[in-house]
Amino acid sequence: MNTVKSFVRICPLKATLSHTRFHLSLRTIDPPVIYHRLLLFRINKPDSSVVDEEHQTAGPSWKAPELYCMEETCPHLGAPMSHAEIQDIEDAKAIVCPWHQYDFDLRDGSSSTGLQACTYEVQVKGSENDAEVWVEAPHAEGSTSSREWELVEMRGVSEEFLDPPPIPLASLSINSGYGDSTPSRTTFPASAATLPDVLPNSLLGFSHLVLRTANPELKCLLTREAVTRLRAGKLKSIRPTMGEIKREREQEGGLLDEPPREVEPIAPGRVGRRGKGGSEKSRILMLHALANIEQYAIDLAWDIIARFADIQINGERLPNEFFLDWAKVAEDEAKHYTLLARRLVELGSYFGAHTVHAGLWESATQTANSLSARIAIIHLVAEARGIDMNPLTLAKLKAAGDVESSKVLEIIHADEITHVTTGHRWFTWLCQKQGVDPVSTFRKEVYYNFYGKIKGPFNAEDRLKAGLTPDFYEDLAGNLGALEREDAEAAEGDERIHPRLT
């Protein structure tokens, strides 16, 4: 019995001209929510001046590009295929797995090894400026009936990563009229972050090394190196063995309660006001606060790998995709930090010139014993507050005419939506494995692991892109430690973990 294929609209064809391959994240529209990850490949550009074979003349004929789609990971051992090479094998294009050099025909997924990758038909509907790309919908796992899917994310595959900013500040005075928000020292040493000679050979090893590293520029270098080696197949493991987890945790330092910092944090309530972005001073303080958040976000992405590497859900360990997803989030957060740190240097400042707080890590400590609570509070509360607040901050930067800072925040905001999506994906995965409702479970986690009301305004449109329907966050509050807190009436709620830049 033949099943009628259904297709998902991806994008206008012209949107595929920015890159030659794209990450696609699809999600079922109706619950239970299932995510599926694909790669879209464009082999050539559309040709609007081909020869019309019937009339043998050059005319209005139009030829669409070669487009192919397949699973995001290798069917052998789950290697990420995003940076794999494409080769000509006989009369076909084949993608070659970077880990073990297995080839897969992009047309049908066949391989000379006998393995089979899952491919998806790609259709181009319309022509030239009106052309659109549609991809065959996946079959939901464990379902015999077709389900309706939507595109959640389309991200061009790129290796671009901004280097840590040069900080030739050995003689630069930071007493520049910024009042009490500056440290007591008068100079800040130049950064000379370089990779150590001996590096880990596993993703887990890199996660522990990054967490033990105080210098934020070195954190970024280590993160980029880890992800580069991961994609090239130079790490011996992605999902660690139980023996590897034990060995890493028995090393000096083990699993850290809190990573070391070069800039000592102070209590959230002692951080000075940042203004409304009208002055350069105010914008520097905004960007500095955001850089601090990104510094912690790098550690949070690595900590979820290191801390929960051994967790089992109903006797089942976390899949490779879990570790791949959070390594990608770590890479993004490192990119964000470098963008912000460089922008601070361009404005005549640097990261560390002003006070910072550790409110975000306080929530990480509270959720250290529960993966469900960690994802709920850090990624579906704190990062979701980020996508609420970023547009407001962006509007202030644009109003002040700060074009370069605006560009930085636009990049960060687009990525942060995908991070909340990652949180939503794995939170719903956990709930499905345990047979519980995601919304009620999320609200319960917030009640027991957060204090204060989750305040608006909410960026409902971008929250929905990330999978957060209003029933997740409307009329939501936490009651953590309410009976013990003497300052319950004055509690700041979600301002503790994502500063309101107002």
Side-chain angles (χ1 to χ4, degrees):
M1 180 177 177
N2 294 328
T3 303
V4 177
K5 294 180 180 179
S6 59
F7 287 79
V8 181
R9 181 188 180 279
I10 301 301
C11 65
L13 179 61
K14 59 187 177 183
T16 67
L17 300 182
S18 61
H19 295 75
T20 58
R21 57 187 79 181
F22 297 85
H23 293 284
L24 303 180
S25 180
L26 305 181
R27 181 173 61 211
T28 53
I29 293 178
D30 297 320
V33 173
I34 298 173
Y35 282 85
H36 207 93
R37 309 289 279 276
L38 305 174
L39 281 172
L40 177 69
F41 299 88
R42 177 180 57 76
I43 302 301
N44 58 356
K45 290 186 177 181
D47 187 352
S48 59
S49 60
V50 299
V51 173
D52 185 324
E53 294 181 358
E54 181 179 352
H55 300 96
Q56 296 297 308
T57 59
S61 299
W62 180 82
K63 184 179 179 181
E66 289 184 67
L67 296 169
Y68 301 97
C69 188
M70 67 179 296
E71 297 286 344
E72 190 179 49
T73 56
C74 177
H76 177 217
L77 290 176
M81 302 286 269
S82 60
H83 290 72
E85 291 186 6
I86 294 179
Q87 297 181 359
D88 291 307
I89 298 181
E90 296 181 352
D91 62 342
K93 296 287 186 182
I95 188 168
V96 180
C97 172
W99 286 7
H100 301 101
Q101 306 305 305
Y102 289 4
D103 60 276
F104 297 95
D105 191 316
L106 283 173
R107 297 171 301 181
D108 58 13
S110 60
S111 172
S112 61
T113 65
L115 287 175
Q116 181 72 39
C118 193
T119 57
Y120 298 83
E121 183 182 344
V122 182
Q123 294 183 352
V124 176
K125 300 182 180 181
S127 63
E128 299 192 341
N129 290 334
D130 296 325
E132 294 183 337
V133 178
W134 292 66
V135 167
E136 179 186 352
H139 292 289
E141 182 180 352
S143 175
T144 57
S145 60
S146 61
R147 297 186 61 183
E148 190 174 358
W149 295 78
E150 63 180 344
L151 178 71
V152 178
E153 173 192 357
M154 176 178 174
R155 183 202 291 244
V157 174
S158 174
E159 295 183 358
E160 293 180 8
F161 192 108
L162 192 62
D163 288 327
I167 312 182
L169 299 174
S171 61
L172 176 64
S173 170
I174 63 170
N175 187 16
S176 305
Y178 290 98
D180 295 336
S181 64
T182 56
S184 58
R185 60 191 178 195
T186 58
T187 60
F188 191 82
S191 174
T194 57
L195 290 173
D197 293 333
V198 179
L199 289 169
N201 59 4
S202 69
L203 192 67
L204 182 66
F206 266 104
S207 69
H208 281 272
L209 178 56
V210 174
L211 290 167
R212 292 195 298 267
T213 300
N215 180 274
E217 284 78 28
L218 183 53
K219 284 183 185 292
C220 295
L221 288 176
L222 289 168
T223 297
R224 175 169 57 176
E225 185 68 18
V227 176
T228 298
R229 293 187 178 203
L230 181 157
R231 289 171 178 151
K234 295 181 179 179
L235 298 181
K236 74 173 186 180
S237 68
I238 304 304
R239 182 178 67 179
T241 64
M242 300 303 284
E244 185 184 350
I245 296 169
K246 183 174 184 292
R247 287 192 297 273
E248 285 290 344
R249 293 183 179 180
E250 288 176 347
Q251 289 189 18
E252 184 178 355
L255 194 57
L256 300 178
D257 292 331
E258 183 171 358
R261 300 286 170 211
E262 284 196 337
V263 181
E264 190 69 25
I266 63 174
R270 292 181 57 201
V271 176
R273 297 190 63 82
R274 302 177 182 90
K276 298 185 178 181
S279 66
E280 184 177 88
K281 169 188 172 181
S282 177
R283 294 194 298 278
I284 286 174
L285 292 173
M286 286 181 178
L287 297 176
H288 194 277
L290 291 174
N292 181 53
I293 290 173
E294 300 298 345
Q295 174 193 217
Y296 276 99
I298 298 169
D299 286 333
L300 287 166
W302 287 116
D303 186 74
I304 203 171
I305 290 174
R307 190 168 303 278
F308 300 103
D310 57 346
I311 192 174
Q312 296 188 25
I313 310 299
N314 294 335
E316 179 182 344
R317 292 197 62 200
L318 296 168
N320 261 7
E321 288 82 359
F322 177 88
F323 299 92
L324 293 173
D325 272 2
W326 293 110
K328 174 57 182 170
V329 170
E331 180 189 35
D332 287 346
E333 307 294 17
K335 177 183 71 176
H336 299 169
Y337 174 85
T338 59
L339 287 167
L340 289 163
R342 183 176 291 272
R343 184 60 187 145
L344 285 170
V345 170
E346 291 170 351
L347 291 172
S349 187
Y350 55 87
F351 183 70
H354 307 285
T355 53
V356 297
H357 70 77
L360 197 56
W361 198 263
E362 290 177 14
S363 292
T365 301
Q366 169 63 28
T367 58
N369 297 318
S370 168
L371 178 57
S372 177
R374 168 62 65 85
I375 295 176
I377 303 304
I378 296 299
H379 302 287
L380 302 185
V381 172
E383 281 205 285
R385 292 305 292 139
I387 63 176
D388 291 339
M389 304 308 298
N390 283 338
L392 303 180
T393 307
L394 184 57
K396 294 173 183 177
L397 294 174
K398 289 182 175 179
D402 192 339
V403 175
E404 294 305 315
S405 297
S406 298
K407 290 178 181 178
V408 169
L409 202 59
E410 285 171 349
I411 293 171
I412 291 174
H413 182 64
D415 286 346
E416 296 295 356
I417 295 173
T418 71
H419 298 174
V420 179
T421 303
T422 299
H424 182 261
R425 177 193 184 191
W426 289 107
F427 189 84
T428 54
W429 182 88
L430 286 169
C431 290
Q432 288 164 11
K433 290 294 181 182
Q434 298 174 89
V436 296
D437 175 64
V439 172
S440 59
T441 303
F442 169 72
R443 297 181 76 91
K444 184 183 297 184
E445 294 287 12
V446 172
Y447 183 83
Y448 288 112
N449 294 285
F450 185 78
Y451 188 84
K453 184 176 176 59
I454 308 298
K455 304 173 182 178
F458 298 113
N459 183 346
E461 179 180 357
D462 287 342
R463 280 176 173 257
L464 188 59
K465 289 179 184 177
L468 297 183
T469 50
D471 51 348
F472 271 92
Y473 56 85
E474 286 185 346
D475 193 27
L476 179 64
N479 199 44
L480 171 65
L483 296 178
E484 291 79 16
R485 292 179 64 104
E486 296 180 358
D487 59 343
E489 293 299 324
E492 294 179 291
D494 63 342
E495 294 183 21
R496 295 172 56 251
I497 58 176
H498 195 286
R500 290 173 174 270
L501 303 180
T502 55

